[in-house]
PDB file of all heavy atoms in Angstrom:
ATOM      1  N   SER C 134      27.661 -24.744 -33.671  1.00  0.00           N
ATOM      2  CA  SER C 134      28.390 -24.914 -32.369  1.00  0.00           C
ATOM      3  C   SER C 134      29.882 -25.161 -32.740  1.00  0.00           C
ATOM      4  O   SER C 134      30.201 -26.024 -33.622  1.00  0.00           O
ATOM      5  CB  SER C 134      27.767 -26.145 -31.722  1.00  0.00           C
ATOM      6  OG  SER C 134      28.765 -26.606 -30.582  1.00  0.00           O
ATOM      7  N   PRO C 135      30.908 -24.683 -31.920  1.00  0.00           N
ATOM      8  CA  PRO C 135      32.313 -24.871 -32.227  1.00  0.00           C
ATOM      9  C   PRO C 135      32.755 -26.278 -31.718  1.00  0.00           C
ATOM     10  O   PRO C 135      34.012 -26.479 -31.769  1.00  0.00           O
ATOM     11  CB  PRO C 135      32.991 -23.665 -31.462  1.00  0.00           C
ATOM     12  CG  PRO C 135      32.076 -23.450 -30.451  1.00  0.00           C
ATOM     13  CD  PRO C 135      30.681 -23.677 -30.867  1.00  0.00           C
ATOM     14  N   SER C 136      31.956 -26.993 -31.169  1.00  0.00           N
ATOM     15  CA  SER C 136      32.242 -28.293 -30.427  1.00  0.00           C
ATOM     16  C   SER C 136      33.078 -29.291 -31.403  1.00  0.00           C
ATOM     17  O   SER C 136      33.870 -30.076 -31.013  1.00  0.00           O
ATOM     18  CB  SER C 136      31.102 -29.064 -29.913  1.00  0.00           C
ATOM     19  OG  SER C 136      30.247 -29.346 -30.845  1.00  0.00           O
ATOM     20  N   GLY C 137      32.925 -29.160 -32.713  1.00  0.00           N
ATOM     21  CA  GLY C 137      33.505 -29.979 -33.645  1.00  0.00           C
ATOM     22  C   GLY C 137      35.061 -29.791 -33.833  1.00  0.00           C
ATOM     23  O   GLY C 137      35.795 -30.522 -34.448  1.00  0.00           O
ATOM     24  N   TRP C 138      35.597 -28.546 -33.371  1.00  0.00           N
ATOM     25  CA  TRP C 138      36.867 -28.272 -33.774  1.00  0.00           C
ATOM     26  C   TRP C 138      37.588 -27.441 -32.584  1.00  0.00           C
ATOM     27  O   TRP C 138      38.852 -27.474 -32.473  1.00  0.00           O
ATOM     28  CB  TRP C 138      36.972 -27.350 -34.990  1.00  0.00           C
ATOM     29  CG  TRP C 138      35.973 -26.147 -35.103  1.00  0.00           C
ATOM     30  CD1 TRP C 138      34.814 -26.176 -35.490  1.00  0.00           C
ATOM     31  CD2 TRP C 138      36.256 -24.914 -34.435  1.00  0.00           C
ATOM     32  NE1 TRP C 138      34.244 -24.899 -35.241  1.00  0.00           N
ATOM     33  CE2 TRP C 138      35.115 -24.254 -34.678  1.00  0.00           C
ATOM     34  CE3 TRP C 138      37.419 -24.307 -33.869  1.00  0.00           C
ATOM     35  CZ2 TRP C 138      35.022 -22.792 -34.256  1.00  0.00           C
ATOM     36  CZ3 TRP C 138      37.317 -23.008 -33.440  1.00  0.00           C
ATOM     37  CH2 TRP C 138      36.092 -22.243 -33.609  1.00  0.00           C
ATOM     38  N   ILE C 139      36.942 -26.769 -31.798  1.00  0.00           N
ATOM     39  CA  ILE C 139      37.561 -25.815 -30.777  1.00  0.00           C
ATOM     40  C   ILE C 139      38.554 -26.542 -29.925  1.00  0.00           C
ATOM     41  O   ILE C 139      39.563 -26.017 -29.370  1.00  0.00           O
ATOM     42  CB  ILE C 139      36.541 -25.102 -30.039  1.00  0.00           C
ATOM     43  CG1 ILE C 139      37.201 -23.814 -29.457  1.00  0.00           C
ATOM     44  CG2 ILE C 139      35.846 -25.794 -28.965  1.00  0.00           C
ATOM     45  CD1 ILE C 139      36.271 -22.663 -29.045  1.00  0.00           C
ATOM     46  N   ASP C 140      38.264 -27.801 -29.597  1.00  0.00           N
ATOM     47  CA  ASP C 140      39.266 -28.499 -28.686  1.00  0.00           C
ATOM     48  C   ASP C 140      40.581 -28.810 -29.303  1.00  0.00           C
ATOM     49  O   ASP C 140      41.494 -29.285 -28.543  1.00  0.00           O
ATOM     50  CB  ASP C 140      38.576 -29.867 -28.149  1.00  0.00           C
ATOM     51  CG  ASP C 140      37.462 -29.682 -27.113  1.00  0.00           C
ATOM     52  OD1 ASP C 140      37.551 -28.751 -26.436  1.00  0.00           O
ATOM     53  OD2 ASP C 140      36.525 -30.599 -27.107  1.00  0.00           O
ATOM     54  N   GLU C 141      40.545 -28.693 -30.608  1.00  0.00           N
ATOM     55  CA  GLU C 141      41.878 -28.985 -31.291  1.00  0.00           C
ATOM     56  C   GLU C 141      42.666 -27.715 -31.479  1.00  0.00           C
ATOM     57  O   GLU C 141      43.862 -27.780 -32.055  1.00  0.00           O
ATOM     58  CB  GLU C 141      41.521 -29.580 -32.726  1.00  0.00           C
ATOM     59  CG  GLU C 141      40.755 -30.720 -32.687  1.00  0.00           C
ATOM     60  CD  GLU C 141      41.355 -31.903 -32.052  1.00  0.00           C
ATOM     61  OE1 GLU C 141      42.603 -31.882 -32.178  1.00  0.00           O
ATOM     62  OE2 GLU C 141      40.718 -32.897 -31.608  1.00  0.00           O
ATOM     63  N   VAL C 142      42.272 -26.568 -30.974  1.00  0.00           N
ATOM     64  CA  VAL C 142      43.055 -25.314 -31.054  1.00  0.00           C
ATOM     65  C   VAL C 142      43.859 -25.276 -29.812  1.00  0.00           C
ATOM     66  O   VAL C 142      43.445 -25.151 -28.641  1.00  0.00           O
ATOM     67  CB  VAL C 142      42.054 -23.979 -30.985  1.00  0.00           C
ATOM     68  CG1 VAL C 142      42.946 -22.844 -31.105  1.00  0.00           C
ATOM     69  CG2 VAL C 142      41.088 -24.094 -32.199  1.00  0.00           C
ATOM     70  N   ARG C 143      45.166 -25.604 -30.001  1.00  0.00           N
ATOM     71  CA  ARG C 143      46.057 -25.897 -28.910  1.00  0.00           C
ATOM     72  C   ARG C 143      46.149 -24.742 -28.022  1.00  0.00           C
ATOM     73  O   ARG C 143      46.165 -25.006 -26.731  1.00  0.00           O
ATOM     74  CB  ARG C 143      47.463 -26.171 -29.474  1.00  0.00           C
ATOM     75  CG  ARG C 143      48.546 -26.511 -28.521  1.00  0.00           C
ATOM     76  CD  ARG C 143      49.804 -26.918 -29.179  1.00  0.00           C
ATOM     77  NE  ARG C 143      50.222 -26.121 -30.236  1.00  0.00           N
ATOM     78  CZ  ARG C 143      51.141 -25.119 -30.128  1.00  0.00           C
ATOM     79  NH1 ARG C 143      51.551 -24.870 -29.009  1.00  0.00           N
ATOM     80  NH2 ARG C 143      51.383 -24.336 -31.187  1.00  0.00           N
ATOM     81  N   GLU C 144      46.012 -23.499 -28.352  1.00  0.00           N
ATOM     82  CA  GLU C 144      46.250 -22.289 -27.536  1.00  0.00           C
ATOM     83  C   GLU C 144      45.071 -22.181 -26.642  1.00  0.00           C
ATOM     84  O   GLU C 144      45.081 -21.363 -25.601  1.00  0.00           O
ATOM     85  CB  GLU C 144      46.486 -21.094 -28.393  1.00  0.00           C
ATOM     86  CG  GLU C 144      47.759 -21.142 -29.132  1.00  0.00           C
ATOM     87  CD  GLU C 144      47.661 -21.875 -30.433  1.00  0.00           C
ATOM     88  OE1 GLU C 144      46.706 -22.435 -30.734  1.00  0.00           O
ATOM     89  OE2 GLU C 144      48.598 -21.752 -31.218  1.00  0.00           O
ATOM     90  N   VAL C 145      43.920 -22.749 -26.827  1.00  0.00           N
ATOM     91  CA  VAL C 145      42.744 -22.539 -26.107  1.00  0.00           C
ATOM     92  C   VAL C 145      42.119 -23.834 -25.325  1.00  0.00           C
ATOM     93  O   VAL C 145      41.209 -23.788 -24.666  1.00  0.00           O
ATOM     94  CB  VAL C 145      41.718 -21.823 -26.899  1.00  0.00           C
ATOM     95  CG1 VAL C 145      42.107 -20.622 -27.554  1.00  0.00           C
ATOM     96  CG2 VAL C 145      40.927 -22.797 -27.889  1.00  0.00           C
ATOM     97  N   SER C 146      42.745 -24.908 -25.730  1.00  0.00           N
ATOM     98  CA  SER C 146      42.254 -26.210 -25.194  1.00  0.00           C
ATOM     99  C   SER C 146      42.071 -26.273 -23.728  1.00  0.00           C
ATOM    100  O   SER C 146      41.197 -26.989 -23.239  1.00  0.00           O
ATOM    101  CB  SER C 146      43.061 -27.401 -25.760  1.00  0.00           C
ATOM    102  OG  SER C 146      44.441 -27.339 -25.329  1.00  0.00           O
ATOM    103  N   ASN C 147      42.924 -25.713 -23.100  1.00  0.00           N
ATOM    104  CA  ASN C 147      42.845 -25.828 -21.559  1.00  0.00           C
ATOM    105  C   ASN C 147      42.201 -24.509 -20.886  1.00  0.00           C
ATOM    106  O   ASN C 147      42.115 -24.393 -19.686  1.00  0.00           O
ATOM    107  CB  ASN C 147      44.286 -26.018 -20.970  1.00  0.00           C
ATOM    108  CG  ASN C 147      44.809 -27.314 -21.331  1.00  0.00           C
ATOM    109  OD1 ASN C 147      44.187 -28.298 -21.403  1.00  0.00           O
ATOM    110  ND2 ASN C 147      46.084 -27.345 -21.720  1.00  0.00           N
ATOM    111  N   ALA C 148      41.841 -23.657 -21.639  1.00  0.00           N
ATOM    112  CA  ALA C 148      41.115 -22.387 -21.103  1.00  0.00           C
ATOM    113  C   ALA C 148      39.807 -22.777 -20.452  1.00  0.00           C
ATOM    114  O   ALA C 148      38.954 -23.595 -20.979  1.00  0.00           O
ATOM    115  CB  ALA C 148      40.922 -21.480 -22.083  1.00  0.00           C
ATOM    116  N   PRO C 149      39.440 -22.003 -19.348  1.00  0.00           N
ATOM    117  CA  PRO C 149      38.087 -22.267 -18.761  1.00  0.00           C
ATOM    118  C   PRO C 149      36.946 -21.927 -19.631  1.00  0.00           C
ATOM    119  O   PRO C 149      35.847 -22.532 -19.545  1.00  0.00           O
ATOM    120  CB  PRO C 149      38.191 -21.388 -17.376  1.00  0.00           C
ATOM    121  CG  PRO C 149      39.248 -20.371 -17.680  1.00  0.00           C
ATOM    122  CD  PRO C 149      40.274 -21.144 -18.594  1.00  0.00           C
ATOM    123  N   ASP C 150      37.128 -20.784 -20.423  1.00  0.00           N
ATOM    124  CA  ASP C 150      36.121 -20.331 -21.342  1.00  0.00           C
ATOM    125  C   ASP C 150      36.728 -20.511 -22.702  1.00  0.00           C
ATOM    126  O   ASP C 150      37.438 -19.511 -23.166  1.00  0.00           O
ATOM    127  CB  ASP C 150      35.678 -19.016 -21.107  1.00  0.00           C
ATOM    128  CG  ASP C 150      34.464 -18.475 -21.863  1.00  0.00           C
ATOM    129  OD1 ASP C 150      34.350 -19.164 -23.060  1.00  0.00           O
ATOM    130  OD2 ASP C 150      33.832 -17.601 -21.580  1.00  0.00           O
ATOM    131  N   LYS C 151      36.717 -21.595 -23.386  1.00  0.00           N
ATOM    132  CA  LYS C 151      37.393 -21.858 -24.684  1.00  0.00           C
ATOM    133  C   LYS C 151      36.843 -20.909 -25.837  1.00  0.00           C
ATOM    134  O   LYS C 151      37.686 -20.499 -26.652  1.00  0.00           O
ATOM    135  CB  LYS C 151      37.182 -23.191 -25.180  1.00  0.00           C
ATOM    136  CG  LYS C 151      37.797 -24.232 -24.171  1.00  0.00           C
ATOM    137  CD  LYS C 151      37.522 -25.702 -24.618  1.00  0.00           C
ATOM    138  CE  LYS C 151      38.069 -26.637 -23.669  1.00  0.00           C
ATOM    139  NZ  LYS C 151      37.739 -28.096 -24.116  1.00  0.00           N
ATOM    140  N   VAL C 152      35.547 -20.632 -25.769  1.00  0.00           N
ATOM    141  CA  VAL C 152      35.088 -19.687 -26.872  1.00  0.00           C
ATOM    142  C   VAL C 152      35.631 -18.293 -26.741  1.00  0.00           C
ATOM    143  O   VAL C 152      36.096 -17.661 -27.687  1.00  0.00           O
ATOM    144  CB  VAL C 152      33.604 -19.667 -26.769  1.00  0.00           C
ATOM    145  CG1 VAL C 152      33.064 -18.603 -27.647  1.00  0.00           C
ATOM    146  CG2 VAL C 152      33.066 -20.977 -27.058  1.00  0.00           C
ATOM    147  N   ALA C 153      35.659 -17.673 -25.456  1.00  0.00           N
ATOM    148  CA  ALA C 153      36.251 -16.448 -25.350  1.00  0.00           C
ATOM    149  C   ALA C 153      37.810 -16.365 -25.648  1.00  0.00           C
ATOM    150  O   ALA C 153      38.309 -15.513 -26.221  1.00  0.00           O
ATOM    151  CB  ALA C 153      36.076 -15.922 -23.935  1.00  0.00           C
ATOM    152  N   ALA C 154      38.519 -17.480 -25.299  1.00  0.00           N
ATOM    153  CA  ALA C 154      39.922 -17.582 -25.500  1.00  0.00           C
ATOM    154  C   ALA C 154      40.225 -17.676 -27.047  1.00  0.00           C
ATOM    155  O   ALA C 154      41.094 -17.118 -27.519  1.00  0.00           O
ATOM    156  CB  ALA C 154      40.418 -18.754 -24.795  1.00  0.00           C
ATOM    157  N   TYR C 155      39.269 -18.393 -27.816  1.00  0.00           N
ATOM    158  CA  TYR C 155      39.448 -18.562 -29.090  1.00  0.00           C
ATOM    159  C   TYR C 155      39.233 -17.112 -29.796  1.00  0.00           C
ATOM    160  O   TYR C 155      40.014 -16.752 -30.754  1.00  0.00           O
ATOM    161  CB  TYR C 155      38.550 -19.551 -29.672  1.00  0.00           C
ATOM    162  CG  TYR C 155      38.447 -19.572 -31.284  1.00  0.00           C
ATOM    163  CD1 TYR C 155      39.638 -20.176 -31.818  1.00  0.00           C
ATOM    164  CD2 TYR C 155      37.528 -18.902 -32.047  1.00  0.00           C
ATOM    165  CE1 TYR C 155      39.575 -20.166 -33.213  1.00  0.00           C
ATOM    166  CE2 TYR C 155      37.530 -18.869 -33.421  1.00  0.00           C
ATOM    167  CZ  TYR C 155      38.719 -19.477 -34.088  1.00  0.00           C
ATOM    168  OH  TYR C 155      38.760 -19.681 -35.365  1.00  0.00           O
ATOM    169  N   GLY C 156      38.178 -16.341 -29.343  1.00  0.00           N
ATOM    170  CA  GLY C 156      38.000 -15.026 -29.857  1.00  0.00           C
ATOM    171  C   GLY C 156      39.253 -14.124 -29.676  1.00  0.00           C
ATOM    172  O   GLY C 156      39.585 -13.383 -30.656  1.00  0.00           O
ATOM    173  N   ALA C 157      39.847 -14.206 -28.526  1.00  0.00           N
ATOM    174  CA  ALA C 157      41.032 -13.349 -28.168  1.00  0.00           C
ATOM    175  C   ALA C 157      42.184 -13.888 -29.069  1.00  0.00           C
ATOM    176  O   ALA C 157      43.004 -12.995 -29.616  1.00  0.00           O
ATOM    177  CB  ALA C 157      41.409 -13.463 -26.777  1.00  0.00           C
ATOM    178  N   LEU C 158      42.299 -15.160 -29.319  1.00  0.00           N
ATOM    179  CA  LEU C 158      43.284 -15.648 -30.202  1.00  0.00           C
ATOM    180  C   LEU C 158      43.313 -15.182 -31.562  1.00  0.00           C
ATOM    181  O   LEU C 158      44.295 -14.767 -32.188  1.00  0.00           O
ATOM    182  CB  LEU C 158      43.375 -17.188 -30.193  1.00  0.00           C
ATOM    183  CG  LEU C 158      44.369 -17.928 -31.144  1.00  0.00           C
ATOM    184  CD1 LEU C 158      45.749 -17.638 -30.777  1.00  0.00           C
ATOM    185  CD2 LEU C 158      44.066 -19.526 -31.054  1.00  0.00           C
ATOM    186  N   VAL C 159      42.057 -15.238 -32.193  1.00  0.00           N
ATOM    187  CA  VAL C 159      41.863 -14.878 -33.618  1.00  0.00           C
ATOM    188  C   VAL C 159      42.133 -13.347 -33.667  1.00  0.00           C
ATOM    189  O   VAL C 159      42.838 -12.849 -34.575  1.00  0.00           O
ATOM    190  CB  VAL C 159      40.490 -15.165 -34.110  1.00  0.00           C
ATOM    191  CG1 VAL C 159      40.273 -14.473 -35.435  1.00  0.00           C
ATOM    192  CG2 VAL C 159      40.276 -16.645 -34.082  1.00  0.00           C
ATOM    193  N   SER C 160      41.715 -12.633 -32.714  1.00  0.00           N
ATOM    194  CA  SER C 160      42.052 -11.145 -32.703  1.00  0.00           C
ATOM    195  C   SER C 160      43.625 -10.942 -32.645  1.00  0.00           C
ATOM    196  O   SER C 160      43.990  -9.971 -33.374  1.00  0.00           O
ATOM    197  CB  SER C 160      41.401 -10.529 -31.454  1.00  0.00           C
ATOM    198  OG  SER C 160      39.932 -10.545 -31.614  1.00  0.00           O
ATOM    199  N   ARG C 161      44.291 -11.679 -31.890  1.00  0.00           N
ATOM    200  CA  ARG C 161      45.780 -11.422 -31.855  1.00  0.00           C
ATOM    201  C   ARG C 161      46.317 -11.855 -33.149  1.00  0.00           C
ATOM    202  O   ARG C 161      47.392 -11.074 -33.779  1.00  0.00           O
ATOM    203  CB  ARG C 161      46.430 -12.344 -30.777  1.00  0.00           C
ATOM    204  CG  ARG C 161      46.146 -11.995 -29.183  1.00  0.00           C
ATOM    205  CD  ARG C 161      46.945 -12.510 -28.340  1.00  0.00           C
ATOM    206  NE  ARG C 161      46.989 -14.040 -28.280  1.00  0.00           N
ATOM    207  CZ  ARG C 161      46.158 -14.637 -27.738  1.00  0.00           C
ATOM    208  NH1 ARG C 161      45.242 -14.047 -26.859  1.00  0.00           N
ATOM    209  NH2 ARG C 161      46.135 -15.992 -27.698  1.00  0.00           N
ATOM    210  N   MET C 162      45.904 -12.909 -33.813  1.00  0.00           N
ATOM    211  CA  MET C 162      46.419 -13.234 -35.184  1.00  0.00           C
ATOM    212  C   MET C 162      46.051 -12.232 -36.215  1.00  0.00           C
ATOM    213  O   MET C 162      46.886 -11.968 -37.159  1.00  0.00           O
ATOM    214  CB  MET C 162      45.971 -14.603 -35.557  1.00  0.00           C
ATOM    215  CG  MET C 162      46.558 -15.748 -34.722  1.00  0.00           C
ATOM    216  SD  MET C 162      46.173 -17.373 -35.441  1.00  0.00           S
ATOM    217  CE  MET C 162      44.355 -17.464 -35.160  1.00  0.00           C
ATOM    218  N   ALA C 163      44.923 -11.547 -36.112  1.00  0.00           N
ATOM    219  CA  ALA C 163      44.465 -10.584 -37.040  1.00  0.00           C
ATOM    220  C   ALA C 163      45.470  -9.386 -36.982  1.00  0.00           C
ATOM    221  O   ALA C 163      45.826  -8.700 -37.996  1.00  0.00           O
ATOM    222  CB  ALA C 163      43.043 -10.199 -36.838  1.00  0.00           C
ATOM    223  N   ARG C 164      45.843  -8.988 -35.636  1.00  0.00           N
ATOM    224  CA  ARG C 164      46.784  -7.910 -35.538  1.00  0.00           C
ATOM    225  C   ARG C 164      48.209  -8.232 -35.816  1.00  0.00           C
ATOM    226  O   ARG C 164      49.075  -7.334 -36.093  1.00  0.00           O
ATOM    227  CB  ARG C 164      46.604  -7.311 -34.143  1.00  0.00           C
ATOM    228  CG  ARG C 164      45.255  -6.752 -33.864  1.00  0.00           C
ATOM    229  CD  ARG C 164      45.320  -5.956 -32.390  1.00  0.00           C
ATOM    230  NE  ARG C 164      45.600  -6.890 -31.324  1.00  0.00           N
ATOM    231  CZ  ARG C 164      44.618  -7.583 -30.606  1.00  0.00           C
ATOM    232  NH1 ARG C 164      43.398  -7.428 -30.982  1.00  0.00           N
ATOM    233  NH2 ARG C 164      45.010  -8.406 -29.668  1.00  0.00           N
ATOM    234  N   ASN C 165      48.637  -9.502 -35.607  1.00  0.00           N
ATOM    235  CA  ASN C 165      49.918 -10.000 -35.858  1.00  0.00           C
ATOM    236  C   ASN C 165      49.997 -11.216 -36.900  1.00  0.00           C
ATOM    237  O   ASN C 165      49.908 -12.321 -36.482  1.00  0.00           O
ATOM    238  CB  ASN C 165      50.522 -10.445 -34.596  1.00  0.00           C
ATOM    239  CG  ASN C 165      51.972 -10.917 -34.720  1.00  0.00           C
ATOM    240  OD1 ASN C 165      52.609 -10.640 -35.675  1.00  0.00           O
ATOM    241  ND2 ASN C 165      52.297 -11.802 -33.734  1.00  0.00           N
ATOM    242  N   PRO C 166      49.972 -10.867 -38.173  1.00  0.00           N
ATOM    243  CA  PRO C 166      49.846 -11.981 -39.106  1.00  0.00           C
ATOM    244  C   PRO C 166      50.930 -13.020 -39.003  1.00  0.00           C
ATOM    245  O   PRO C 166      50.825 -14.166 -39.439  1.00  0.00           O
ATOM    246  CB  PRO C 166      50.014 -11.150 -40.561  1.00  0.00           C
ATOM    247  CG  PRO C 166      49.663  -9.904 -40.212  1.00  0.00           C
ATOM    248  CD  PRO C 166      50.022  -9.591 -38.775  1.00  0.00           C
ATOM    249  N   ASP C 167      52.180 -12.700 -38.449  1.00  0.00           N
ATOM    250  CA  ASP C 167      53.177 -13.718 -38.263  1.00  0.00           C
ATOM    251  C   ASP C 167      52.856 -14.873 -37.356  1.00  0.00           C
ATOM    252  O   ASP C 167      53.219 -15.993 -37.579  1.00  0.00           O
ATOM    253  CB  ASP C 167      54.400 -13.142 -37.731  1.00  0.00           C
ATOM    254  CG  ASP C 167      55.013 -12.202 -38.539  1.00  0.00           C
ATOM    255  OD1 ASP C 167      54.905 -12.221 -39.845  1.00  0.00           O
ATOM    256  OD2 ASP C 167      55.884 -11.215 -38.210  1.00  0.00           O
ATOM    257  N   GLY C 168      51.758 -14.601 -36.473  1.00  0.00           N
ATOM    258  CA  GLY C 168      51.282 -15.670 -35.635  1.00  0.00           C
ATOM    259  C   GLY C 168      50.516 -16.701 -36.469  1.00  0.00           C
ATOM    260  O   GLY C 168      50.473 -17.831 -36.228  1.00  0.00           O
TER     261      GLY C 168
END
Side-chain angles (χ1 to χ4, degrees):
S134 169
S136 59
W138 52 267
I139 199 165
D140 287 333
E141 302 296 334
V142 182
R143 181 168 51 93
E144 293 83 353
V145 307
S146 58
N147 295 321
D150 187 340
K151 295 177 183 178
V152 171
Y155 176 74
L158 172 65
V159 174
S160 294
R161 289 197 302 272
M162 287 192 292
R164 294 191 298 269
N165 178 23
D167 290 340

